[in-house]
Amino acid sequence: MKINWAEKLRQNVHQLAESLGNLFVETFHYLALFAIGAVTAWAAVMEFLTMVEEGHIKIDDILLLFIYLELGAMVGIYFKTNHMPVRFLIYVAITALTRLLISNVSHHNPPDMGIIYLCGGILLLAFSILVVRYASSQFPSVKIEHPHRKTGAGSGEHPEVEKGEL
């Protein structure tokens, strides 16, 4: 009987620590998302103003604006779903490599193996998007209504469950 009150106290302390930990992590996520979103918007506006000031826009500049757009979309998706969209990171990488490729070609650099490497990198990233899309359609994440933590030896619950996913 005396151990029962200790177990209840331990569970209460555990629940309090978990609640505080979740509060701190979620607060950090929201502050970081707002900061990243603000910095991305600021950089895009400053780049656009630089383009207007120069009086002409190159394809490199347009692709850079697309990179900012994709970063902003990533922040928005993460803010709404609490999941990092890996595909958007790959899209940013493809756009960055395409921008570099166009920049190299437009500045009349002599053709060399660098162009082949850039094209191979773009192809590899495009293939990785195909793999990620196929994997997400064939093996979607499983949602659990009320995730539980493993409470004892031999429990069939999943200790790694977080935010309702398995």
Side-chain angles (χ1 to χ4, degrees):
M1 285 286 185
K2 291 184 180 182
I3 297 176
N4 193 17
W5 70 268
E7 181 61 27
K8 286 182 183 179
L9 179 62
R10 185 194 68 77
Q11 288 176 357
N12 288 338
V13 168
H14 178 73
Q15 288 174 350
L16 177 64
E18 189 170 354
S19 294
L20 284 175
N22 288 340
L23 173 69
F24 291 143
V25 168
E26 289 176 11
T27 300
F28 173 76
H29 275 142
Y30 287 125
L31 290 175
L33 282 173
F34 283 121
I36 291 169
V39 167
T40 302
W42 176 262
V45 167
M46 295 307 292
E47 188 63 35
F48 181 77
L49 291 176
T50 302
M51 289 179 220
V52 170
E53 187 178 294
E54 289 178 0
H56 65 281
I57 298 174
K58 301 176 294 225
I59 191 77
D60 295 348
D61 300 329
I62 295 169
L63 289 172
L64 184 60
L65 290 178
F66 269 108
I67 290 172
Y68 289 131
L69 176 68
E70 290 165 358
L71 290 173
M74 264 180 25
V75 169
I77 289 170
Y78 188 77
F79 184 77
K80 288 181 178 180
T81 65
N82 219 17
H83 292 106
M84 177 58 69
V86 174
R87 284 184 300 139
F88 278 81
L89 291 172
I90 300 171
Y91 294 147
V92 168
I94 288 174
T95 307
L97 287 179
T98 304
R99 183 174 183 259
L100 182 60
L101 179 65
I102 290 173
S103 177
N104 282 347
V105 171
S106 68
H107 290 104
H108 306 293
N109 290 335
D112 60 357
M113 286 302 290
I115 291 176
I116 301 298
Y117 293 146
L118 284 173
C119 292
I122 292 169
L123 183 64
L124 183 65
L125 289 168
F127 181 71
S128 68
I129 287 177
L130 181 67
V131 169
V132 168
R133 300 264 329 219
Y134 176 78
S136 65
S137 69
Q138 293 299 312
F139 309 104
S141 60
V142 178
K143 298 286 182 182
I144 298 174
E145 288 297 319
H146 302 287
H148 299 285
R149 302 281 179 217
K150 189 172 182 178
T151 56
S155 175
E157 298 168 358
H158 301 281
E160 67 277 6
V161 171
E162 291 187 17
K163 293 277 182 187
E165 285 193 13
L166 179 62

